[in-house]
Amino acid sequence: MGTPGEGLGRCSHALIRGVPESLASGEGSGAGLPALDLAKAQREHGVLGGKLRQRLGLQLLELPPEESLPLGPLLGDTAVIQGDTALITRPWSPSRRPEVDGVRKALQDLGLRIVEMGDENATLDGTDVLFTGREFFVGLSKWTNHRGAEIVADTFRDFAVSTVPVSSSSHLRGLCGMGGPRTVVAGSSEAAQKAVRAMAVLTDHPYASLTLPDDAAADCLFLRPGLPGVPPFLLHRGGGDLPNSQEALQKLSDVTLVPVSCSELEKAGAGLSSLCLVLSTRPH
């Protein structure tokens, strides 16, 4: 899901999916992942939904958990949304591809125009796509290939689309994000800094930049809320998560900081932007 930036309508809806019990075991959450404290993960998810609804004034739509889809809560990987168009992705992992079905139906019900990825050679995870409000950057990673990026460009022809190599095991938005309408925030790792340098070379637009001690802190969501007269929000990791980055985030003076925790969900590979889809215009 592209992060809303300058020139876009205010957000109206947020879509999340409940945490299934199958995520509690290491086997259920995927090979090599640790077992989760299910109650803590569900609390974190509930707080996130509450912040989206009560703090940001969005209409919250929650898909029920599906035990056959332990990584279903990471629904940010399943679609890229801009305006009234939703590109349904083709996740790299075949076991995750059924996750798109419930998301597709929910977005159809909201009146969005649905675009499918029909090319079996294409892979695309939504959290490899960063929308700045002016253009798209697509991370070429373990999960997203060139053909997936080409389909993003074909779908959103009104915007420039550039590809950024991701030299770590992260998605692009696990390394950098939008901290405001003209500010890119990025982690301090070499992979994050390399991605930011590549973006700076590729863009025709001037962006300020802010480096954070933790890569995961850059996985944030800049949102223009649905409430009139309310300044933009930055939904970011807080609540004791990533304490080294909290002071640096205070430098973002043109947004209201809204902290949430996802330290337990992070064990299943969840970044903040993977846990929700936000619609940046009101669908018909």
Side-chain angles (χ1 to χ4, degrees):
M1 159 48 202
T3 305
E6 184 173 279
L8 299 184
R10 295 185 178 274
C11 305
S12 59
H13 294 71
L15 185 67
I16 62 176
R17 176 182 268 146
V19 178
E21 293 184 4
S22 58
L23 196 60
S25 67
E27 182 179 356
S29 58
L33 295 176
L36 302 189
D37 180 331
L38 179 64
K40 182 177 180 182
Q42 291 175 333
R43 284 196 302 272
E44 289 178 348
H45 196 263
V47 170
L48 170 63
K51 293 284 182 74
L52 291 168
R53 182 180 60 251
Q54 298 168 8
R55 189 77 171 89
L56 277 66
L58 303 181
Q59 183 172 334
L60 185 68
L61 306 173
E62 183 168 3
L63 300 179
E66 296 189 39
E67 297 304 326
S68 63
L69 302 175
L71 296 182
L74 281 64
L75 83 178
D77 284 327
T78 63
V80 178
I81 303 171
Q82 164 52 32
D84 63 356
T85 298
L87 171 63
I88 304 301
T89 67
R90 189 170 185 270
W92 171 80
S93 173
S95 66
R96 295 197 62 195
R97 289 174 191 165
E99 294 173 19
V100 307
D101 297 336
V103 173
R104 177 192 296 109
K105 183 180 186 307
L107 297 177
Q108 284 177 329
D109 290 346
L110 285 169
L112 273 71
R113 181 175 74 93
I114 302 299
V115 178
E116 303 282 355
M117 292 183 65
D119 190 336
E120 293 186 355
N121 294 316
T123 60
L124 177 69
D125 273 12
T127 48
D128 269 323
V129 182
L130 176 64
F131 183 55
T132 72
R134 296 166 169 144
E135 60 193 314
F136 286 91
F137 292 102
V138 182
L140 299 179
S141 69
K142 170 184 176 181
W143 298 277
T144 297
N145 63 17
H146 278 280
R147 183 62 188 126
E150 289 174 351
I151 294 174
V152 174
D154 290 341
T155 303
F156 302 104
R157 293 178 177 270
D158 290 341
F159 298 93
V161 177
S162 302
T163 57
V164 178
V166 177
S167 59
S168 75
S169 59
S170 295
H171 292 85
L172 179 61
R173 282 198 283 162
L175 302 173
C176 55
M178 296 305 293
R182 302 179 183 87
T183 301
V184 174
V185 294
S188 59
S189 72
E190 177 55 32
Q193 291 299 303
K194 184 176 180 180
V196 170
R197 290 194 296 269
M199 291 164 58
V201 170
L202 293 165
T203 185
D204 292 328
H205 302 287
Y207 298 106
S209 63
L210 176 65
T211 298
L212 304 174
D214 304 287
D215 285 1
D219 190 348
C220 53
L221 285 169
F222 170 69
L223 302 169
R224 298 184 185 278
L227 301 173
V230 177
F233 289 100
L234 188 71
L235 198 67
H236 69 94
R237 294 283 295 275
D241 293 7
L242 313 174
N244 293 335
S245 292
Q246 301 309 308
E247 183 176 352
L249 285 166
Q250 299 297 323
K251 298 177 182 178
L252 298 170
S253 58
D254 56 348
V255 295
T256 298
L257 297 175
V258 179
V260 292
S261 174
C262 62
S263 59
E264 197 65 24
L265 290 163
E266 185 180 42
K267 296 177 182 177
L272 184 55
S273 64
S274 72
L275 292 171
C276 61
L277 288 167
V278 180
L279 281 62
S280 58
T281 61
R282 294 187 181 277
H284 299 298

